Amino acid sequence: MSIPNELVCFTNCFLPQEDGSLIEKDLWIDGRRGVILDAQKTFFMVKERPDKVIDLGGNILSPGLIDMQINGAYGFDFSVFDGDDEAYKTSLQDVAERIVETGVTSFVPTLITQERSLYPKILRLLRPFTTATSATVLGWHAEGPFIDMAKRGAHAPSFLVSAPEGIKSFEELYGAENLADSEDWLMSSGSQSGVRIITAAPEVIGVMSTVGELTKRGLVFSIGHSIATSDIATSAVQHGARLITHLFNAMPQLHHRDPSIIGLLGASPHLYSPFSPITSKALYSGGVMSPIALTPMRFDSKTNIKSPVGSEALDEVETPPQTPMFKAHSSQGTSLKKTQSLAGFSLDSSEFTRPFYEMIVDGIHSHPNSVRLAYSAYPEGCILITDAMKILDPNLRDGVHEWRDGKRFVKEGDKLYLEGTDTLAGSVVTLDKCVRNFTRFTGCTLAESIKCATYNPAKCLGIESKKGTLRPGADADLVVFDAQGVVQSTWVKGKRVWGRN
């Protein structure tokens, strides 16, 4: 009697590719090791065909979905810790095991701004892990507290802070061990791979100086909850920022003279415009952002006096013609290195790489037209997220639900806001629904939409060889979609962990 080879062949299926295309092809996996195989190479090496063949009936076999920003689910809030390590880990594992019903096989638990003493404790618990039946917890995402008061959203204002001592301020708040170099951090957690993301506002005192150091240590710096001007945002990217947190939300809206953070999607790889009708000689003083850098000025030619003007970036009133524009060219500002003049622009000798950007595609946080506009500008950088709160549950009814600190949510369909206000408080949309919405909002194919929830986030996080792909050697974390993008089954490391029948 022969021993089963534990090879599995998925047949009669369509496979999404890393370029957003869709091809009809079989997929082989090793059920014992939980990895994807090169079918041709495996056949010639072992001279065997898979013992198990699964006919998918013409459905789509996709890499598992990756949610880079999720605040909680199924009644558990990742930002709440009562001092019981085991209770926290148990609740986290429960989320990881249940969320596979939405097609998510990897996610990054996100902590929103909170009391500073909780960060080292919770981040210590959010180390990479997985079980045989759960989605993979990739690490952690700290959204705040180094964010701008003007764009705080639902974040508690009393907990917002600046970073007067730069990276030291970050280490004191998050815990130095949690910001250690990737190799040391992974070694201490016993993991081979993992991710850490920090959302911060680069215009906040001391934050810009941390971007390069955090990046060097293997963290992803994301620009968010910020009023950064175009120059400041560009400088942050040149220092190493590689992501924008929930595009369009908690940032200045697009203005033709200073497109701010959103404008990074339209940045040329080679050209940077120093044009600015409003100039400031002192953006930084002693390495600290000067208040004038955040205050747009109007020049009166009759009196030769400059005076402050209103700014949508600051007070969210109607946007005036003088939207803030500054040249952040200093020791912490935009470094243009060696440049050549070309038609009023500066030609940078080093290529500018646009950052990835997240979008909550629930039809509430961003209008479908805005979603399509962003995707049309930079499809390769698009990442779908949920930004879901603890009441995420596909079966949860509408109504009022408890949050924390005495506050309550109001859920109306996919809309979630703080009771008594019109402030959006994350979402309750699932990532598979975001994938379906995205095809309707942009007109892209289902395979292109899937790419934005698989390969793009994996590439942003630097884990595209193992997650978010169907390349040989990658983890066999898989999702079967029907032609409408509805999840039919979910597989983790080659084992079926959820299905409709």
Side-chain angles (χ1 to χ4, degrees):
M1 185 176 179
S2 62
I3 301 175
N5 58 27
E6 294 195 53
L7 300 181
V8 179
C9 171
F10 293 96
T11 190
N12 190 15
C13 57
F14 292 87
L15 309 181
Q17 302 299 290
E18 294 175 4
D19 63 359
S21 62
L22 195 65
I23 63 173
E24 186 173 6
K25 185 180 180 181
D26 291 353
L27 183 76
W28 287 24
I29 66 172
D30 184 334
R32 178 176 55 83
R33 294 187 296 133
V35 297
I36 296 170
L37 300 173
D38 181 316
Q40 188 175 33
K41 184 182 293 185
T42 302
F43 177 73
F44 282 110
M45 284 180 61
V46 301
K47 300 295 190 296
E48 291 182 355
R49 295 187 180 277
D51 284 338
K52 188 174 184 179
V53 178
I54 300 175
D55 187 331
L56 292 180
N59 283 326
I60 296 172
L61 181 61
S62 164
L65 306 184
I66 301 172
D67 195 347
M68 285 174 46
Q69 185 161 345
I70 176 171
N71 306 287
Y74 301 101
F76 181 56
D77 188 332
F78 301 139
S79 297
V80 174
F81 179 63
D82 62 5
D84 188 334
D85 288 11
E86 291 307 312
Y88 189 95
K89 291 179 181 178
T90 298
S91 296
L92 180 62
Q93 182 172 327
D94 179 63
V95 172
E97 291 183 342
R98 296 177 66 181
I99 203 169
V100 294
E101 70 174 315
T102 68
V104 171
T105 58
S106 298
F107 66 100
V108 185
T110 303
L111 276 64
I112 68 168
T113 298
Q114 59 184 292
E115 200 279 314
R116 62 183 300 142
S117 68
L118 290 178
Y119 282 99
K121 300 173 184 177
I122 297 179
L123 296 183
R124 174 177 50 82
L125 298 173
L126 290 176
R127 299 299 177 98
F129 87 89
T130 187
T131 70
T133 58
S134 77
T136 298
V137 174
L138 292 172
W140 51 262
H141 181 168
E143 186 184 8
F146 300 97
I147 60 176
D148 201 290
M149 178 71 74
K151 293 295 180 181
R152 66 185 182 277
H155 292 240
S158 60
F159 295 151
L160 303 187
V161 297
S162 61
E165 297 184 82
I167 193 67
K168 185 178 178 182
S169 296
F170 275 60
E171 290 178 331
E172 289 177 349
L173 188 135
Y174 295 126
E177 68 280 4
N178 294 314
L179 299 185
D181 289 340
S182 287
E183 187 174 343
D184 295 335
W185 179 68
L186 290 171
M187 189 176 297
S188 66
S189 64
S191 304
Q192 294 183 333
S193 64
V195 300
R196 294 167 293 173
I197 308 168
I198 291 179
T199 289
E203 76 277 8
V204 168
I205 292 174
V207 170
M208 185 72 83
S209 67
T210 71
V211 179
E213 180 60 28
L214 291 171
T215 301
K216 187 165 44 175
R217 297 184 187 186
L219 285 86
V220 173
F221 184 96
S222 187
I223 303 170
H225 288 275
S226 166
I227 59 171
T229 60
S230 293
D231 286 343
I232 295 172
T234 299
S235 181
V237 174
Q238 291 181 320
H239 279 76
R242 58 186 286 109
L243 180 64
I244 300 172
T245 296
H246 45 54
L247 187 75
F248 298 120
N249 292 275
M251 62 185 63
Q253 296 310 294
L254 190 68
H255 192 283
H256 58 286
R257 293 203 192 103
D258 183 1
S260 187
I261 301 164
I262 299 171
L264 291 172
L265 273 64
S268 165
H270 305 292
L271 296 174
Y272 177 76
S273 173
F275 167 74
S276 176
I278 304 170
T279 60
S280 172
K281 295 181 179 179
L283 282 180
Y284 294 89
S285 176
V288 176
M289 177 72 76
S290 165
I292 195 172
L294 301 179
T295 308
M297 309 294 286
R298 177 187 291 114
F299 180 73
D300 189 326
S301 59
K302 295 181 179 179
T303 62
N304 292 326
I305 295 176
K306 291 181 179 179
S307 59
V309 300
S311 167
E312 186 236 11
L314 290 173
D315 50 29
E316 301 191 67
V317 297
E318 183 178 353
T319 305
Q322 297 87 352
T323 289
M325 294 194 64
F326 307 99
K327 294 179 183 177
H329 300 171
S330 67
S331 59
Q332 292 194 27
T334 303
S335 174
L336 295 181
K337 301 180 182 179
K338 298 179 181 178
T339 62
Q340 294 177 322
S341 178
L342 179 64
F345 289 83
S346 295
L347 179 60
D348 194 348
S349 60
S350 62
E351 186 172 294
F352 180 82
T353 302
R354 290 175 288 180
F356 289 89
Y357 59 96
E358 303 174 339
M359 285 201 291
I360 310 168
V361 189
D362 57 1
I364 297 164
H365 280 78
S366 298
H367 190 279
N369 292 358
S370 298
V371 172
R372 188 170 191 265
L373 185 66
Y375 184 65
S376 298
Y378 186 30
E380 296 302 313
C382 182
I383 294 173
L384 306 184
I385 61 165
T386 64
D387 197 25
M389 303 305 283
K390 74 171 190 176
I391 64 173
L392 171 69
D393 184 337
N395 305 306
L396 188 68
R397 294 181 178 179
D398 289 356
V400 179
H401 302 271
E402 296 296 327
W403 184 23
R404 61 186 180 92
D405 301 328
K407 297 179 180 178
R408 300 200 298 177
F409 296 120
V410 178
K411 177 184 180 296
E412 294 179 357
D414 288 334
K415 184 177 182 180
L416 190 67
Y417 55 93
L418 295 180
E419 185 180 35
T421 76
D422 58 0
T423 300
L424 293 177
S427 79
V428 287
V429 70
T430 58
L431 195 53
D432 61 315
K433 186 170 184 179
C434 288
V435 169
R436 294 192 295 275
N437 286 343
F438 195 70
T439 61
R440 294 192 299 113
F441 293 0
T442 66
C444 73
T445 66
L446 184 54
E448 290 169 332
S449 182
I450 288 171
K451 177 184 176 182
C452 296
T454 55
Y455 183 69
N456 285 357
K459 188 175 182 181
C460 174
L461 299 174
I463 57 174
E464 71 271 23
S465 64
K466 290 293 184 182
K467 303 288 186 183
T469 179
L470 298 179
R471 66 176 68 169
D475 294 338
D477 295 345
L478 308 167
V479 180
V480 178
F481 289 104
D482 65 16
Q484 286 71 48
V486 177
V487 177
Q488 302 301 303
S489 63
T490 306
W491 302 65
V492 171
K493 294 294 184 67
K495 306 295 184 185
R496 190 173 190 264
V497 296
W498 183 87
R500 291 195 176 277
N501 45 44

